[in-house]
Amino acid sequence: MPKTILITGATSGFGEATARRFSAEGHRVIITGRRKERLDALQRELEGLYGSIDGHDRVHCLHFDVRDQLDVEKAIASLPPEWSTIDVLVNNAGLAAGLDPIQDGKLDDWEKMLDTNVKGLLYVTRAVIPGMIARKAGHIINIGSTAGKEVYPKGNVYCASKHAVDALTKGFRQDLLPYGIKVTQVAPGMAETEFSVVRFEGDEARAKQVYHGLQPLRPEDIAELVFYVTTLPAHVCVNDLVVTPTAQANSSTVFRG
Ligand code: NDP
Ligand code: 8X3
């Protein structure tokens, strides 16, 4: 039975790979992000690859910034009836901005990270939850980070935002317990996506250095885990999956060969 999966931040990295993974398994995906042309291209590609599902579209695009609460609410409310039953919400949209000691941190970077990683996740979840509660079913998967488990030097505000995701995941699970809604966190370590390019404002060379001498996680690795946790029986909920490259022991211990 095809499920409907809403993925935030599906224009790149984990979110894009997750959209591909669920599509390949015959599910319907609502892909979201700010870069509309990328959403449209992914929609064309997935529909070209897999066609429609029982005469219905396989992919629906929603174009919004998770930081804009009104836009988030409008976008979710605009879903046509055949797309409005969201079985799985993947809260993935997020970013790091800068890597500075706290005394040198830029206020704009702090706002961006907290508004996106914490408040954006809350806005989207708040808009999707009522349907799940009414149906007494659903699965919320938050993409946290090893940065939400440990703090590393200069990670300060990014780490704080991901610690917030860790806490919210636990809070959601407690509050949504009476409604049979599963809540899972997937907390990856170092993965090569556009993450470091964004963090270093387009400095590709500096971004490459982050992964120098080791095999980082690939977006597909995380997509596989996100897909996996949705395949378990109704009575089984994975709470928290922390996953690193084999060459990474924790946030600050990495082996570069
Ligand atoms: P990417 O930069 O490749 O992807 C980030 C995605 O988030 C993009 O699709 C982007 O879409 C979306 N996004 C960012 N800001 C907004 C916004 N304001 N509104 C809507 N969408 C937004 O990075 P990753 O795939 O690596 O990151 C995905 C998640 O994984 C993030 O939460 C990140 O913190 C987390 N993470 C990453 C790790 C890594 O090492 N790569 C490790 C652990 C966790 P668009 O720009 O089109 O809006
Ligand atoms: C991203 C992983 O180690 O760069 O969340 O913070 S790390």
Side-chain angles (χ1 to χ4, degrees):
M1 179 75 180
K3 290 185 197 156
T4 299
I5 323 293
L6 189 150
I7 304 158
T8 65
T11 57
S12 170
F14 300 158
E16 181 181 339
T18 300
R20 290 180 198 284
R21 187 72 184 89
F22 278 99
S23 278
E25 292 292 335
H27 296 297
R28 308 163 79 223
V29 292
I30 303 170
I31 53 175
T32 81
R34 290 167 302 178
R35 287 170 290 183
K36 185 172 183 315
E37 65 293 347
R38 287 207 188 188
L39 294 175
D40 293 341
L42 184 58
Q43 177 177 35
R44 278 195 302 275
E45 181 195 323
L46 294 176
E47 291 189 341
L49 274 173
Y50 305 115
S52 59
I53 301 181
D54 303 332
H56 295 289
D57 288 345
R58 172 178 292 274
V59 180
H60 188 83
C61 300
L62 284 182
H63 173 227
F64 62 85
D65 185 327
V66 296
R67 293 171 298 179
D68 186 329
Q69 194 265 329
L70 269 184
D71 257 19
V72 169
E73 210 175 287
K74 271 194 233 154
I76 304 295
S78 77
L79 285 169
E82 68 273 22
W83 283 98
S84 61
T85 300
I86 297 165
D87 299 296
V88 180
L89 164 64
V90 184
N91 277 317
N92 164 76
L95 82 171
L99 184 68
D100 299 302
I102 196 73
Q103 63 275 22
D104 298 334
K106 297 183 190 70
L107 291 184
D108 186 50
D109 286 345
W110 296 353
E111 312 271 5
K112 239 187 256 173
M113 290 187 274
L114 295 170
D115 287 351
T116 310
N117 302 354
V118 185
K119 290 165 70 181
L121 179 148
L122 284 168
Y123 296 156
V124 176
T125 307
R126 188 69 184 80
V128 170
I129 281 178
M132 290 186 173
I133 288 185
R135 293 188 302 278
K136 289 200 174 224
H139 195 162
I140 299 171
I141 302 171
N142 293 333
I143 304 300
S145 171
T146 46
K149 304 289 181 183
E150 297 168 89
V151 180
Y152 55 84
K154 303 181 190 171
N156 45 65
V157 177
Y158 178 68
C159 295
S161 75
K162 288 298 180 178
H163 274 69
V165 174
D166 192 58
L168 288 171
T169 305
K170 292 172 188 157
F172 290 1
R173 194 179 309 111
Q174 291 171 16
D175 296 346
L176 298 173
L177 200 60
Y179 307 102
I181 298 170
K182 297 188 190 189
V183 184
T184 299
Q185 173 172 250
V186 176
M190 297 164 78
E192 195 162 12
T193 59
E194 293 180 10
F195 177 83
S196 290
V197 178
V198 170
R199 175 173 234 172
F200 301 128
E201 293 179 306
D203 185 340
E204 303 260 358
R206 190 171 175 202
K208 264 265 164 273
Q209 266 317 106
V210 174
Y211 312 105
H212 173 72
L214 66 92
Q215 168 64 63
L217 296 169
R218 302 164 306 161
E220 297 75 22
D221 301 323
I222 299 308
E224 188 59 35
L225 294 172
V226 172
F227 175 68
Y228 166 72
V229 299
T230 68
T231 60
L232 299 170
H235 68 285
V236 180
C237 175
V238 173
N239 287 204
D240 199 7
L241 268 181
V242 182
V243 53
T244 63
T246 306
Q248 181 183 21
N250 57 40
S251 268
S252 18
T253 314
V254 168
F255 180 77
R256 295 183 198 268

